[in-house]
């Protein structure tokens, strides 16, 4: 039995108290991965941005809003976990300044200065212990396999799940799972729970080292 941390859903970066940047991530892949991991007997902590999907009752869920909060909570959970699956779609940019009161319309264009948010999987993979593992997702529209392998290596992850852009906010997914070193392990297509089961089986086989008491 392993303790697996799953980041899930989008994050939000506020411009002012009522407006924010975000994306269409639904958290469906995260909830399917959580269920698949529980079904294989693992302990699961989900660190989730705001979503309306329900996570399995047996998973511990930590709710966050911003990418920095997701990093802080994922780091805390990962410190006593075996592995991390980065299934979230965190906002990659945040406003340089967050206004404390609602921005008023002036009749002129509004210029936003955005800075990059931290990369959660890359940050945690860079500091992981040798017995810990990190799985990332990659969503690309062209040169899909090549870019996924580049990402796997740049983020120093152990496995990457390359999926299509149609996966976002959809019930189905089509993925290719690639192991560190660039070995393509398998491809799965269909409803997200089915795809998640395939991914978790590969994680079990290639990343989770059996221990004497598991
Ligand atoms: O670089 P890109 O966003 O395409 O990488 C996707 C992978 O990185 C996913 O596993 C996603 O959860 C993770 N990610 C992250 N922190 C970010 C951006 C992406 O953990 N700020």
């Amino acid at each position: 039995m392993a303790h697996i941390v799953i980041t899930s859903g989008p994050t939000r970066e506020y411009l002012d108290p009522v407006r924010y940047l975000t994306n269409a991530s639904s958290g469906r892949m995260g909830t399917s991965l959580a269920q698949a991991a529980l079904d294989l007997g693992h302990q699961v902590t989900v660190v989730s941005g705001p979503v309306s999907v329900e996570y399995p009752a047996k998973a511990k869920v930590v709710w966050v809003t911003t990418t920095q909060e997701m990093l802080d909570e994922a780091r805390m959970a990962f410190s006593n976990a075996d592995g991390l699956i980065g299934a979230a779609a965190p906002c990659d940019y945040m406003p340089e300044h967050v206004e404390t009161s609602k921005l008023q319309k002036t009749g002129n264009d509004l210029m936003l200065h955005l800075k990059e948010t931290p990369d959660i999987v890359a940050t945690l993979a860079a500091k992981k212990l040798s017995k810990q593992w990190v799985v990332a997702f990659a969503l690309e529209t062209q040169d899909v396999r090549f870019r996924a392998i580049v990402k796997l290596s740049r983020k120093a992850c152990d496995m990457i799940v390359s999926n299509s852009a149609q996966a976002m906010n959809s019930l189905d997914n089509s993925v290719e799972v690639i192991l560190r070193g660039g070995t393509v392990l398998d491809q799965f297509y269909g409803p997200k729970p089915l795809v998640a089961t395939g991914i978790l089986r590969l994680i079990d086989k290639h990343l989770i080292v059996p221990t004497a008491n598991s």
Side-chain angles (χ1 to χ4, degrees):
M1 198 267 286
H3 178 195
I4 302 176
V5 179
I6 300 172
T7 67
S8 178
T11 58
R12 286 181 187 170
E13 300 297 341
Y14 277 85
L15 311 178
D16 70 15
V18 294
R19 302 183 180 96
Y20 52 80
L21 305 172
T22 192
N23 59 65
S25 171
S26 64
R28 283 198 199 101
M29 200 60 215
T31 194
S32 299
L33 290 163
Q35 188 59 58
L38 290 164
D39 290 345
L40 289 173
H42 301 304
Q43 181 191 340
V44 174
T45 300
V46 180
V47 182
S48 179
V51 289
S52 50
V53 291
E54 284 194 18
Y55 290 107
K58 285 193 176 149
K60 177 182 176 192
V61 183
V62 182
W63 294 100
V64 297
T65 304
T66 66
T67 299
Q68 183 62 51
E69 285 168 16
M70 187 174 271
L71 172 60
D72 294 342
E73 294 295 341
R75 179 186 277 130
M76 200 124 70
F78 189 52
S79 68
N80 55 37
D82 302 286
L84 173 92
I85 306 176
C91 261
D92 291 321
Y93 297 96
M94 62 191 283
E96 185 82 44
H97 300 291
V98 182
E99 300 296 332
T100 51
S101 51
K102 187 182 171 191
L103 280 159
Q104 300 299 306
K105 282 169 54 175
T106 61
N108 295 315
D109 292 350
L110 172 67
M111 302 295 287
L112 288 178
H113 190 196
L114 304 177
K115 58 182 183 180
E116 275 193 23
T117 55
D119 189 303
I120 298 158
V121 295
T123 305
L124 299 184
K127 295 250 170 82
K128 72 185 173 68
L129 304 172
S130 59
K131 61 176 185 181
Q132 290 180 305
W133 47 266
V134 173
V135 176
F137 273 70
L139 191 146
E140 298 292 345
T141 51
Q142 55 187 31
D143 299 332
V144 177
R145 183 182 289 169
F146 174 74
R147 290 188 185 189
I149 292 173
V150 169
K151 203 165 281 185
L152 172 67
S153 147
R154 181 165 45 84
K155 298 192 189 224
C157 293
D158 300 283
M159 182 183 276
I160 196 153
V161 181
S162 164
N163 57 356
S164 57
Q166 296 96 298
M168 204 103 174
N169 205 9
S170 148
L171 296 176
D172 289 343
N173 204 350
S174 167
V175 309
E176 182 165 83
V177 183
I178 307 170
L179 192 61
R180 53 181 169 242
T183 312
V184 177
L185 294 175
D186 214 338
Q187 295 172 332
F188 304 107
Y189 171 75
K192 286 180 176 174
L194 201 85
V195 169
T197 301
I199 295 168
L200 256 297
R201 288 210 180 112
L202 290 178
I203 290 175
D204 251 7
K205 184 169 172 195
H206 295 274
L207 303 181
I208 298 180
V209 185
T211 58
N213 29 349
S214 68

